[in-house]
Amino acid sequence: KQLDKIDLELSKLNKSISTPLPYKKRQNIENKIKNLNERKKNIILLLKDFNILQDESYAIKAKEIFEEKGATKAIEYLESDESLNSEQDMIKKILDKNGLKAQLYTTNLQYNKAKEVYKKNLKLAQLELGDEDSRTLYILSDLALSYAYLGEFNKSRDLNLKVFEISKRVLGEEHHDTLLSMSNLAMNYLGLGEHNKSRDLNLKVLEIRKRVLGKEHPQTLSSMSNLSLSYVYLRQYNKARDMNLKLLEIRKKVLGKEHPDTLVSMNNLAL
């Protein structure tokens, strides 16, 4: 329900921004689009967490509360004694519940609160599961993202570097989790002004995803979008334009002309 509302609002904003507008009005609309896309991304991540935990009674109830009353009420439920009933595996339960609570904070754009929950989870995971366990790496990635949202790109970069090094050694360079850590690291470099490093990593991720997943896979398209952004920061506008043109053509073909992602591509190309 909430995603439908966001998509509807994004569609209206993207259509309005495609027409000539005064600078201040365009800037306000661009900020609204940015915030809505950020919220949409966070909700999608949250729904993935709900799906992973779909057999857990507390997750089912928390999802119901989130859909009807929003993130704040769902967090209150997860902090209550009611959500603790009938769960057996204590470590798994604590990590999963805390992770869900942190994602709800992120959905509410309360990044400091999310960061503190992830830090607490990380200590527990490292103690009980070890540094190379997949759960520990996921928590590290989540914590890195919280730092990035807060503009602490050095801390985010250091955590993502650690995730990348472990993932590459344990899982291999072409594994989904390794590529995701590379993509996250590229965004860190962008935030730190190391644009050449960002471009090089995004190029590498794009090449691997094209080969492994195909040219039209959503993750490949996401890599194209990230690379075009690196080109913009490097002021290589012709390369950014060409990449966005290609991305727009594929999204029109695969998603249709009025899909929110297609409209975002049209807006990026116009800019």
Side-chain angles (χ1 to χ4, degrees), residues 170-183:
V170 176
L171 302 172
E173 191 173 50
E174 295 186 356
H175 191 277
H176 164 75
D177 291 346
T178 308
L179 293 174
L180 183 59
S181 67
M182 290 171 67
S183 184

Side-chain angles (χ1 to χ4, degrees), residues 11 26 95 101 132 145 194 226 255 266:
S11 180
R26 173 175 287 275
L95 292 175
K101 186 165 70 172
E132 295 186 357
L145 185 59
E194 299 181 64
N226 291 341
L255 302 174
M266 292 172 67

Side-chain angles (χ1 to χ4, degrees), residues 26-73:
R26 173 175 287 275
Q27 196 172 44
N28 286 336
I29 293 174
E30 286 174 357
N31 287 333
K32 286 181 182 179
I33 290 172
K34 181 182 176 183
N35 288 334
L36 283 170
N37 278 320
E38 189 171 303
R39 183 163 172 78
K40 178 181 176 181
K41 181 178 71 174
N42 291 336
I43 290 175
I44 290 170
L45 290 172
L46 174 64
L47 292 175
K48 285 181 180 178
D49 285 345
F50 278 132
N51 287 334
I52 291 169
L53 302 171
Q54 60 184 329
D55 295 328
E56 302 286 358
S57 59
Y58 67 83
I60 295 169
K61 182 69 177 290
K63 183 180 180 182
E64 290 173 356
I65 294 171
F66 169 70
E67 289 177 343
E68 295 299 323
K69 300 180 180 179
T72 301
K73 289 296 182 182

Side-chain angles (χ1 to χ4, degrees), residues 68-79:
E68 295 299 323
K69 300 180 180 179
T72 301
K73 289 296 182 182
I75 291 167
E76 289 176 6
Y77 164 71
L78 287 171
E79 290 177 336

Side-chain angles (χ1 to χ4, degrees), residues 126 131 140 157-167:
Q126 287 174 328
D131 288 340
L140 270 171
R157 175 202 58 201
D158 293 345
L159 289 180
N160 278 321
L161 265 173
K162 187 173 182 179
V163 174
F164 169 60
E165 289 165 357
I166 295 173
S167 297

